Amino acid sequence: MDALRERRMRAVELFEAGRRQVDVVAELGVSAQTASRWHRAWQTGGREALVGVDRLGRTPRLSDEQLAEVETALLAGPKANGFSTDLWTLARVAEVIERMTGVRYTLSQTWLILRQRLGWTRQRPARRAVERDDAAIEAWAKRDWPRIKRGLAAAAPGSASPTRADSRSCP
């Protein structure tokens, strides 16, 4: 963003020095259309016309304040927002946004808000059995698995041949 502003300001300096649009194209490496647009803006509004805005693109439909309120609601969790399970989905997040702000987003737009504006990442719940006993698993891995692994290595290699290796052929 700053580099673009610096190039526009350099173009203003060139225009003020009496240089032509073609000189701006050659020196700054911009297209002829861009140089023409900058020149036209400079002629009508001077230097201020090319200072530019801080943000490019469409203005967001959610203000920073609204987004902060939505994030607070999301951090409270799905159950606090009236859902039956403690798992966020994009559809649920979109529903909370619409309920709080009146702005409806598609699932892909909702994901962009979460990722780009809030800095959230996708996370999936760990699927583990409720009965899982981590202490028992760790004890098994230390006590039983080395014994089982040794037993597999000590076993004689098997043969895929249907005949015995020690049989002799008949004359």
Side-chain angles (χ1 to χ4, degrees), residues 131-145:
E131 306 85 12
R132 182 182 170 106
D133 183 357
D134 288 325
I137 293 170
E138 188 175 337
W140 179 88
K142 286 182 179 176
R143 180 187 65 238
D144 295 336
W145 176 241

Side-chain angles (χ1 to χ4, degrees), residues 81-94:
N81 284 281
F83 298 104
S84 60
T85 62
D86 215 10
L87 180 69
W88 280 119
T89 64
L90 288 176
R92 287 180 175 186
V93 172

